[in-house]
Amino acid sequence: MIGGIIVTQSNLEKQEAKLKQLNQKIKAEKNKIEQNLGKQIIRSANLDYGTLTTPQIKMIGQITSLIRTSPESFNGSLLMMYF
C-alpha cells in the first residue's frame, strides 16, 4: 500500500507543477492583453506617452470602468475633458 501512496503523491506533485505552469501562462497572457489594451486606448485617445501622467492613467481606468459597467450613461466627450 505504501508504494501506491508514493505513486499517488508523485502524480499529485506532477499535477500541481502542471497547474502552476498553466497559471503562469494565464498570468502572462493576461498581462499581454492588458498591455495591448492600454496601448490601444492610448492610441485611440490620441494621447502622448511622454506627457501622460499617473492621475490621467487612473482617470482613463475609471472612465473605462464606467463605459464597461454603464455604457448608456457614458458621454464620449468626458475623456477629452480631462486631457
Side-chain angles (χ1 to χ4, degrees):
M1 188 65 175
I2 296 207
I5 293 173
I6 293 173
V7 170
T8 302
Q9 184 176 2
S10 175
N11 287 338
L12 182 59
E13 288 169 354
K14 288 177 185 178
Q15 288 178 343
E16 286 175 339
K18 286 180 182 180
L19 180 59
K20 184 177 179 179
Q21 185 179 30
L22 183 58
N23 283 334
Q24 289 172 342
K25 286 182 179 181
I26 291 170
K27 185 176 180 180
E29 190 63 28
K30 181 181 174 186
N31 287 336
K32 188 171 138 182
I33 291 168
E34 288 173 352
Q35 288 175 354
N36 289 337
L37 177 61
K39 288 177 185 178
Q40 186 60 43
I41 290 170
I42 290 169
R43 275 191 219 126
S44 295
N46 225 6
L47 301 172
D48 179 16
Y49 285 98
T51 60
L52 197 58
T53 66
T54 300
Q56 288 173 327
I57 293 169
K58 288 181 181 180
M59 182 59 63
I60 292 169
Q62 291 172 347
I63 292 169
T64 304
S65 177
L66 176 64
I67 294 168
R68 189 178 65 78
T69 58
S70 304
E72 67 284 348
S73 65
F74 176 70
N75 179 352
S77 62
L78 183 63
L79 183 60
M80 292 301 126
M81 182 171 59
Y82 292 99
F83 300 102

